[in-house]
Amino acid sequence: MFLVISPCSEYPISKLFLLELYGIKESLDELVLDGNAYMKPMAVKMKKKFDKYWGPCNLLISMAAVLDPRYKTELLNFSFKAIYSNDEASTHVKLVIDTLKELFAEYVKEHRTTNVVQSSNAADGTESGASKRGPSVTTLRFGKSIRSSTAKYNQHIRSVDSIASVKSELDTYLEEGVYISEPGAYFDALGWWKEKKLKFKILSKMAADILAIPFTTVASESAFSVGGRVIDPHRSSLGTKMVDMLICGSDWYRQYYGLQKKKKKIKGGEL
């Protein structure tokens, strides 16, 4: 249940949890309905707590599942029917899709703003370069206010690109079929989005931001724990680069050479 999300660490991330929640819910329902006299009372209490804490739809888990090309909305429709009632399942699926569209609109807005700034800078750069080279024949004939055809075209294509992306990317992704991987094979969702970044310019950025979010606090707590051992009273003046190497060095080394951490041995097997 672990996926590599950076070159130096392995942490559970949000897209992996929806299927696990579905499995837990299904097991609890089976025990409540058909469990023996010993297991059934415990299952009833556990199911009550499960419904209490997981009753509201968790948007992070759900959106991350949708942005995994193996799942998309199919996993929501499949799992929500087990976790919620039919009416609640439809409501929660709609909530997730609407939230995704609102978030995507924010990314589109940012993309459009970036394009406008880059286009303006490119035009200024073209004019600045022209002024350094001296006035061209066109400038002498028509005046300094006219911009070069290249600058005009660059501004035009950036505006067209930003408008076209608003219409299609998210809807196109959701309308396409799910990616079917080999059973048991490792699938890198972030790698898949990296390959598709030319097709989904904006959506790939949003997917990378969401899919890279660790779902637990283990990562940050572990970093503080290791940092406390590295930066002690006798080594409190270390530079940031040295601290970074001391904390992450072993993970970088394992990642570079394809090594794995040693498993802790316990009686009767391995942990």
Side-chain angles (χ1 to χ4, degrees), residues 41-97:
M42 287 193 297
V44 170
K45 293 180 180 179
M46 292 174 68
K47 184 177 182 299
K48 185 177 180 181
K49 290 186 176 181
F50 182 94
D51 293 337
K52 176 183 178 181
Y53 291 107
W54 294 106
C57 176
N58 188 296
L59 289 175
L60 174 58
I61 293 178
S62 303
M63 289 193 298
V66 172
L67 293 173
D68 188 319
R70 297 172 297 172
Y71 305 142
K72 298 189 177 181
T73 55
E74 295 298 326
L75 181 58
L76 298 187
N77 295 324
F78 173 75
S79 59
F80 279 12
K81 290 178 181 178
I83 299 175
Y84 309 107
S85 64
N86 290 334
D87 293 337
E88 289 178 332
S90 301
T91 302
H92 288 315
V93 170
K94 185 177 183 302
L95 174 63
V96 174
I97 300 302

Side-chain angles (χ1 to χ4, degrees), residues 218-231 247:
V218 174
S220 57
E221 291 175 356
S222 175
F224 280 110
S225 177
V226 174
R229 294 195 296 270
V230 171
I231 307 175
I247 294 177

